[in-house]
Amino acid sequence: MIRKMTFDDVAAVSAAMARAFWDDPLQRWLLPDESTRLDRLERMFAGQARYSSIPQGECYTDDTCATGAFWAPPGKQQPVDEVLRAMEPLEQIVGEAIVRFRAAFSAMHAVHPVVPHFYLAGLGTDPPRQGEGLASRALQPVLERCDADAIPAYLEST
C-alpha cells in the first residue's frame, strides 16, 4: 500500500533511495568516491525528506519503505537564493563536491518551468524491489491530482 511518508520512515526510505541512486550517472559525477557515496547519499536523502519533502506533505512510500517519491507542490519550490543557502549544511556531507552540486543545481534551475507545477524532486526504489511497480504506484496520488486539476508535473532525469 502506498501512503504518505512520515518522519519514522526517513531512515529506511533514505537507505533505499541511496541504494537506488548509488550508480546514477549524476550521483557518480557529484560523488565520485565509491567508498563514501552510499553514506553521503543516505544522509542527503534523509535531509531532503526531513526538511523539505515531508513538511510539504507530498512525500510517498510503501509499507515496507522500499520506494520513495519526493514531490514539491505548486508554489512550494524554494527560490534560488533560499536553495543555495540551504545547501550550506549539505557541504558538511559532501565536502568539496559542493561545487559540483551548485553547478548541477544551476544547470537544472536554468531550464526549470516557471508555470505552477508539481516537481518530482526524487523517485527511487531499492534495487532488490525494482520491477514490482512500487515507484509507479508511489507517483499515483500526485499524478491523479495533476490530472484532475490540470496541473503539470515536472522531473529532471539523469
Side-chain angles (χ1 to χ4, degrees):
M1 180 175 88
I2 298 299
R3 60 179 173 71
K4 286 198 173 183
M5 190 181 301
T6 69
F7 289 107
D8 290 339
D9 301 323
V10 169
V13 172
S14 297
M17 294 288 285
R19 290 187 295 270
F21 280 87
W22 188 85
D23 62 352
D24 174 78
L26 178 62
Q27 305 311 320
R28 288 186 2 230
W29 175 71
L30 292 169
L31 303 167
D33 184 347
E34 292 182 3
S35 68
T36 62
R37 187 183 312 138
L38 191 64
D39 175 64
R40 288 177 173 191
L41 285 170
E42 193 169 330
R43 291 188 290 153
M44 287 168 32
F45 279 112
Q48 180 182 3
R50 252 188 211 100
Y51 303 112
S52 180
S53 299
I54 292 174
Q56 290 181 17
E58 299 299 339
C59 198
Y60 295 86
T61 191
D62 66 294
D63 285 337
T64 66
C65 297
T67 195
F70 295 71
W71 290 95
K76 296 290 185 168
Q77 290 92 27
Q78 296 172 298
V80 176
D81 291 343
E82 222 176 278
V83 171
L84 291 174
R85 274 194 305 280
M87 283 187 180
E88 290 174 12
L90 181 63
E91 191 168 357
Q92 295 174 4
I93 297 171
V94 301
E96 75 292 340
I98 194 71
V99 174
R100 291 187 296 279
F101 273 82
R102 286 190 175 119
F105 172 78
S106 294
M108 290 186 284
H109 177 73
V111 297
H112 201 96
V114 294
V115 299
H117 63 282
F118 274 91
Y119 173 53
L120 184 58
L123 174 69
T125 301
D126 204 353
R129 301 289 307 276
Q130 290 174 0
E132 295 178 24
L134 292 172
S136 295
R137 289 194 299 275
L139 293 174
Q140 288 311 303
V142 171
L143 292 180
E144 288 171 3
R145 287 173 49 204
C146 289
D147 290 343
D149 298 336
I151 297 171
Y154 179 73
L155 162 73
E156 293 117 358
S157 178
T158 57

